[in-house]
Every structure is written in structure tokens, then in C-alpha cells.
Amino acid sequence: MKRSRILVCTTLLVLYFCFIIFKLADIQLFSPDAYGPEKVNLLKKSVEQRITEIELSSGRGVLLDRFNKPLGTSKVEDIVLFPFLATMDLPPTVSLMLNQLAPMWQQQLKTIKKPIFLSQLLDKQISEDMVEQVKNADIPGMIAVRRDGTKDPTIAEHLIGLVRDNPKEYDKRYGDVEKSDRSIGISGIQKAFDSFLQAKQQEKLMYSVDAIGNPLLGLDLRYVGSENDYYPLKLSTTIDSDIQQMIETTVDSYGMKKGGVVLLDVRTNELVSLLSRPKMDTEQPFATDTVRNQMLTAHFPGSVFKTVIAAAAIENDEATVNNTYDCDLNVYGDGASDRKLGELNFIESFAKSCNYTFATIGKKLVGENNTIIETYADKLGLLGPVGWVGNIFHLNNFKQFPEEENGKIWGDVYDRSVQRAIAQTAIGQKEVKVTPLAVANMISTIVNNGVKREIRVVDKILYNNGTVMKQFPDHYQKENQLEKETAVKLKKMLTEVVENGTGSYLKQLSVAGKSGTAQIGKENRYNHWFAGFFPVENPRYVMVVVDLDQTNDQAKTYPIYQAIVKQLTSEGSP
């Protein structure tokens, strides 16, 4: 009996030791990278246990302006403090500096037990002198670094867009991928180019430590993710960050609440600057609708739209161009106008923005061809989309401005046969809506003698080493083009608006363009536009300024336009 008990116990011990040996072999040899039912990577976990680290960059692709300066986010100088620093004897000058800046720094490091940026302890940016002092001291555990600065863009926020952590949407877009950072672009360029900007590898500063968190002697810190020639990718945009900053400062100094500015390089039809107001509520961008880019949103254009009627008249009805019109009459011709302008010819009517003239011409043109207004809106590149659209790699109909709305002319098919509806449509009211980006494109089309091109905001996608991955070519729209002679006449008419018409506020500047004041369905509230180009003799820029949902006496369109033009055309301008 005693012998059998010994045999049983021996067998159990042997089986137990065999089990232990098998588990050790499974851990060490058979399944180190996928252990257990949850497939845990033991090798990775063991490394994580003996390494402390801090993220310097998310690894997400970066945006550059047209001069290769970082756009939106930036790199800042900072100092990393590792936890073991709290127990070290520091040089007196460094110790004094830390004690003066953050008296409780040692206790805080012991509490968090993780590396931290000194700027986080101080809640302010680190000075260059402090960074240099740390570099010269060469103290283990106190490292001067360059890291990602602000997470959200500091300029052109609506254009650049926001990036937010959203695992659910990330998995929907890219599949269920094992990745700690599931950030995605939720608006603007960040959303449009999200698949290209997705992080491949974070940039980290890593330090090997022992079981209680002290550094392992003889092992230096390591930078991870900073030596890849290809990733992260870079977007080379057409934005001039200096001009963008100048425009934002100017617009905000005038207190614009809703509206914005679009600035194009008329030679290339590239976007140089875009500003939208109100400013974005980055905490609740969608709940407050401040994420909406007003420059890509369709609005009532008012008299700016008379440019379309003028183009149609020039090319299709010489008699209307040679007539004179009683501009003391209202838009319908059945009563007195609020403005008594007297008898005006076609060019004078355009300059002084006579509603009766263009309502009369519009009714005649539509009576002869009921699609003529939309035909000429398209000839002028007004209806949209006007942003760059094309195939790129596996993406069909890729849009650089995915949030851009299309223009609209008619609200009801029957409006084309209703005289009062045609009259309202001809002066940019009723159901007419276009985006400020499209209005800028219309002016650019005229300046370029009827040549239509899509607007680009991203010129190239670059690898991390600066070589080109993808170039976005010019997209010319050759169908349904305006005649060159018509464009030349329209340029002269736009010049007359400033010389002798509604744009005379800008008369001292070399500017040509068209004004517009559109009723928006609220008492004493209007959209105030000015769309033009400058300098007149040798055009460089097309600019649209629109002050939306504003009273007549509070509109700042002209002062803002004037201030920006002066800065762009003065010596030493951005």
C-alpha cells in the first residue's frame, strides 16, 4: 500500500514536471510570438516590460506649404525627463533650473513613473537657452528633442482639417488592423488624403531599464521610426503660409463673423490661401457646425452672377448689348427701383449693377434658349466641382476638395417659364447658389481668356526623403469654353466696375472685379461679395471676399479686400 502511494506520487510529480517543461518549451520555443488563446506576442511583451519610451511623433504624414515649410502642425524643441532622473544627483546649475521652473518635479516624476516632456510639467513652451543648456550638460535621462507641436492646425484650419482618434471609423475605412493609434482625418485635406497620411511607424525615444525602472548601464537611448526614407509621406501644397497668416490677421482685425477669403494664383489656378469663418470649435466641430468650410459651401451670390448673363448676352444677342435700359425701374419693370440710376447702356448697367437691365436680358435669353444660363455658368467654370478631380492609384474620382458643394441655378424646372423667376435668377437670387471657390474660378477663367482649369491645393505627394511619389497635373476643361473675345470684353467690364461703378471703394488700387449683395431671406441680412483680380495690367491674383449673413452697414467686404490687396502688392509683401 505504501509502495503504491509512492508510485502514484512519483508519477504525479513526473507528469507535473513534464507539464512545466512543456509550458517552458511552448513559451520559449513553440509559441513565443502567439502564446495562448489570445495569441499574445511574448517576445514583444518582454521587450515592452524592460523599455520605457515617449512618443516624439505620431508618424502621420505632414503637410508642407509651397515653400516646403510645415503647414498646420510644427516641430518644437522640448526636453524629455525620464523617471530615474528623480533619484540622480544633478549638476547644481541644472538642479537649480528645474527647482525654479517646477519645484515639485521630482515628486511628479516618481508619481507618474513614465517619461514626460518638461513643457508638460511647466504647461508652456521650452526656451532655446534651456534646450542648449541641457544639450551641453549631457545628463542621462534628461534629453533635448524635437517633437510634434500642436495637434490641430494653427492656420487654415478649415482647409487643413482635423485629425481625431476614432477606432470605429478607422476599422471601417482600413479594416480591423492591430494598431494602437487609430487616428483619422475628419475634415479638410486631412480627410481627403487620409489614406496617404496614415502613420506607418511612430517616432519614439526609447530607454532600456531594469525591473525597478533604473537605466541599464551601457545601453544608450534609441530613436525609433526616424530613419525611413519613404514614410511618413509629405503633401506639397500650393498654400503660402505667410500670405495665409497675413490674411487671417487682417480678416480677424475687422471682426468678420461669417464668411471668408479665397485667393488663387491666376497663372496656375492654384489655391494660395483660403480662410473660413467662424473659427472652428475644435472641441465640438460637428455639433456647432463650425467645421463647415464656408468657401466650399454654396451661397446666394447676388449681382456677382450678372457676369454669367453678361457673357451669354455678348455671345448670343448683340441687340441687348447695344441697347439702353431705364434703370429707374425695379427688377420686374413694373415699379420704381430703390436706386435711381437713370438711362444706362449695357456696360454702365454692369458697372452700376442695374437689376432691371440684367433681368430684362435674362428673360429674353431664356425665352430663346431655356438652358442658356446654366450653359454659360458652366462656360465660366462656376457650377462645379471646380476642385481637382481624377484617378490616383486605386482611387477613382479622387477629390482634393471632397466637401465642395456644386452650384445650383434653378430650384424648379418650371421656373424657366415664369418671368418673375427668370428675372430673380438673372440677378443671382431665387434659387441661385454658388461657392466662393467657384466664383474665384469664374474670375480666373475670364482673366485666362476663357481657359478653364480645375483648382489644385496639393501639387505633389512626396516620400519622406523628398522624392516625388505622385504629381497632380493640370486639368484643363476644354468642353463648352468661353470665346476669347468675350473674356476680353468681360475683363474691361470688370475694370469699369471699379473705375465708375459699385466697386469704386477700390478705385485707388489696380483692381478689377464685380460686387454682389444678395438677400438671404432674413430681414436686413445679406451676403456681401467682391470678386476680382489684380494687378489689372499684369494679373497675379484672383481674390474673392464674402461677408455672409451681414447687415448693409456692418459689412466689411471692401475694407478687407483693400487691406489685403495693399499688403500683397506693396514692396516686401509676403
Side-chain angles (χ1 to χ4, degrees):
M1 188 69 178
K2 183 178 180 181
R3 185 176 178 180
S4 63
R5 283 201 300 270
I6 293 173
L7 183 61
V8 169
C9 289
T10 302
T11 303
L12 290 174
L13 285 172
V14 169
L15 290 174
Y16 176 73
F17 281 114
C18 287
F19 175 75
I20 294 296
I21 292 170
F22 170 77
K23 294 300 290 183
L24 289 173
D26 191 25
I27 291 171
Q28 295 288 333
L29 303 174
F30 305 144
S31 310
D33 56 349
Y35 179 75
E38 296 183 0
K39 305 298 181 184
V40 176
N41 190 325
L42 297 175
L43 296 176
K44 182 179 177 182
K45 291 295 183 182
S46 67
V47 171
E48 288 176 356
Q49 286 181 341
R50 63 177 183 266
I51 288 181
T52 184
E53 63 185 30
I54 189 166
E55 181 183 309
L56 302 180
S57 171
S58 67
R60 186 174 177 84
V62 297
L63 277 64
L64 306 173
D65 80 351
R66 58 174 52 204
F67 303 111
N68 292 321
K69 293 192 292 186
L71 187 62
T73 55
S74 60
K75 293 287 186 181
V76 297
E77 301 285 344
D78 212 332
I79 297 168
V80 177
L81 305 179
F82 281 83
F84 56 79
L85 195 69
T87 61
M88 292 180 60
D89 291 329
L90 303 177
T93 55
V94 176
S95 180
L96 179 63
M97 177 192 72
L98 287 175
N99 289 331
Q100 288 177 338
L101 293 173
M104 304 294 290
W105 69 272
Q106 288 174 304
Q107 290 85 339
Q108 288 175 280
L109 274 184
K110 290 177 182 178
T111 301
I112 59 177
K113 298 180 180 179
K114 291 182 178 180
I116 189 172
F117 293 112
L118 180 56
S119 62
Q120 292 176 319
L121 287 181
L122 304 180
D123 196 25
K124 66 178 182 180
Q125 193 167 331
I126 304 302
S127 69
E128 292 182 8
D129 290 342
M130 196 182 306
V131 171
E132 285 302 313
Q133 189 174 345
V134 168
K135 286 179 180 177
N136 295 332
D138 193 23
I139 302 169
M142 191 173 186
I143 315 297
V145 297
R146 281 176 61 82
R147 66 176 181 89
D148 283 349
T150 53
K151 184 176 181 181
D152 293 330
T154 54
I155 60 171
E157 56 186 1
H158 292 86
L159 178 65
I160 296 171
L162 302 178
V163 177
R164 292 291 182 268
D165 188 53
N166 191 332
K168 185 176 180 180
E169 182 62 25
Y170 181 93
D171 292 345
K172 182 179 176 182
R173 289 187 195 178
Y174 306 113
D176 189 4
V177 181
E178 185 182 345
K179 191 176 177 186
S180 58
D181 182 10
R182 283 184 164 87
S183 297
I184 58 170
I186 62 171
S187 66
I189 296 173
Q190 293 283 7
K191 180 179 180 181
F193 288 84
D194 189 60
S195 59
F196 298 99
L197 296 170
Q198 275 296 314
K200 304 297 181 184
Q201 185 179 17
Q202 294 174 325
E203 185 180 342
K204 300 176 181 179
L205 183 63
M206 307 179 74
Y207 213 109
S208 297
V209 296
D210 63 17
I212 58 175
N214 292 322
L216 290 172
L217 298 178
L219 293 180
D220 295 326
L221 60 87
R222 292 188 295 126
Y223 286 91
V224 175
S226 60
E227 298 178 353
N228 194 316
D229 286 338
Y230 299 103
Y231 297 97
L233 297 176
K234 301 174 181 177
L235 297 184
S236 177
T237 75
T238 62
I239 298 302
D240 185 320
S241 56
D242 290 336
I243 290 178
Q244 178 73 31
Q245 184 64 69
M246 177 273 289
I247 288 176
E248 297 204 11
T249 301
T250 301
V251 169
D252 291 340
S253 71
Y254 284 96
M256 180 187 282
K257 293 183 173 61
K258 184 178 181 181
V261 178
V262 175
L263 183 72
L264 301 182
D265 184 330
V266 75
R267 300 165 300 182
T268 61
N269 218 40
E270 293 174 340
L271 190 65
V272 177
S273 175
L274 183 147
L275 172 142
S276 176
R277 289 293 181 264
K279 289 186 177 181
M280 197 182 298
D281 179 351
T282 55
E283 297 298 321
Q284 307 178 79
F286 291 98
T288 57
D289 200 35
T290 54
V291 73
R292 180 183 294 276
N293 189 334
Q294 298 295 341
M295 300 301 95
L296 304 181
T297 301
H299 303 285
F300 296 112
S303 294
V304 170
F305 193 74
K306 290 172 183 172
T307 311
V308 175
I309 306 303
I314 291 169
E315 289 193 358
N316 293 275
D317 198 327
E318 188 177 350
T320 61
V321 174
N322 293 327
N323 279 348
T324 57
Y325 301 86
D326 184 358
C327 290
D328 285 342
L329 295 174
N330 65 18
V331 64
Y332 308 116
D334 59 2
S337 171
D338 292 336
R339 294 187 304 147
K340 300 297 187 289
L341 300 173
E343 197 82 10
L344 300 178
N345 63 29
F346 177 71
I347 294 176
E348 291 169 336
S349 293
F350 186 81
K352 297 181 182 298
S353 205
C354 172
N355 287 337
Y356 174 71
T357 299
F358 288 91
T360 302
I361 294 173
K363 287 187 287 187
K364 185 179 182 187
L365 292 172
V366 173
E368 296 168 354
N369 177 357
N370 67 3
T371 63
I372 194 168
I373 294 181
E374 50 266 49
T375 296
Y376 275 83
D378 180 62
K379 276 180 182 279
L380 287 163
L382 187 61
L383 292 182
V386 301
W388 196 97
V389 180
N391 298 334
I392 172 170
F393 302 121
H394 62 284
L395 302 173
N396 295 325
N397 295 317
F398 176 83
K399 296 181 178 181
Q400 290 197 3
F401 301 93
E403 295 151 346
E404 179 193 356
E405 295 180 0
N406 288 338
K408 179 182 178 183
I409 306 298
W410 304 100
D412 192 308
V413 67
Y414 299 107
D415 283 349
R416 292 186 179 94
S417 58
V418 178
Q419 294 294 292
R420 294 176 78 88
I422 298 170
Q424 285 284 334
T425 301
I427 64 169
Q429 294 282 178
K430 195 69 171 73
E431 303 295 335
V432 180
K433 284 189 176 183
V434 292
T435 68
L437 187 72
V439 171
N441 193 56
M442 176 181 74
I443 301 297
S444 180
T445 300
I446 293 170
V447 176
N448 286 294
N449 295 324
V451 176
K452 294 187 293 182
R453 281 183 290 184
E454 293 175 354
I455 297 172
R456 288 180 301 174
V457 66
V458 174
D459 178 44
K460 295 183 287 284
I461 301 176
L462 305 173
Y463 288 112
N464 193 36
N465 60 12
T467 58
V468 177
M469 175 187 184
K470 173 66 179 178
Q471 176 96 37
F472 290 90
D474 264 335
H475 277 181
Y476 289 90
Q477 298 174 318
K478 297 181 180 179
E479 300 81 15
N480 195 34
Q481 281 197 340
L482 198 69
E483 294 177 8
K484 180 179 179 180
E485 293 76 13
T486 304
V488 171
K489 291 177 181 177
L490 288 172
K491 276 187 275 188
K492 292 179 179 178
M493 292 171 67
L494 293 170
T495 303
E496 190 68 17
V497 170
V498 175
E499 290 298 319
N500 297 297
T502 56
S504 59
Y505 186 98
L506 305 170
K507 191 172 183 178
Q508 302 307 314
L509 302 172
S510 181
V511 173
K514 185 71 185 81
S515 60
T517 305
Q519 296 176 338
I520 61 171
K522 299 179 184 178
E523 187 176 354
N524 194 29
R525 309 294 289 192
Y526 305 89
N527 293 340
H528 296 267
W529 299 72
F530 192 83
F533 64 92
F534 56 94
V536 172
E537 295 304 321
N538 185 24
R540 172 79 186 275
Y541 296 112
V542 161
M543 185 164 69
V544 173
V545 176
V546 56
D547 197 354
L548 299 168
D549 193 5
Q550 183 61 276
T551 60
N552 281 329
D553 58 334
Q554 293 294 316
K556 300 295 192 299
T557 308
Y558 284 119
I560 290 172
Y561 208 102
Q562 181 187 66
I564 294 173
V565 171
K566 282 183 175 180
Q567 293 180 81
L568 287 175
T569 55
S570 65
E571 240 180 88
S573 62

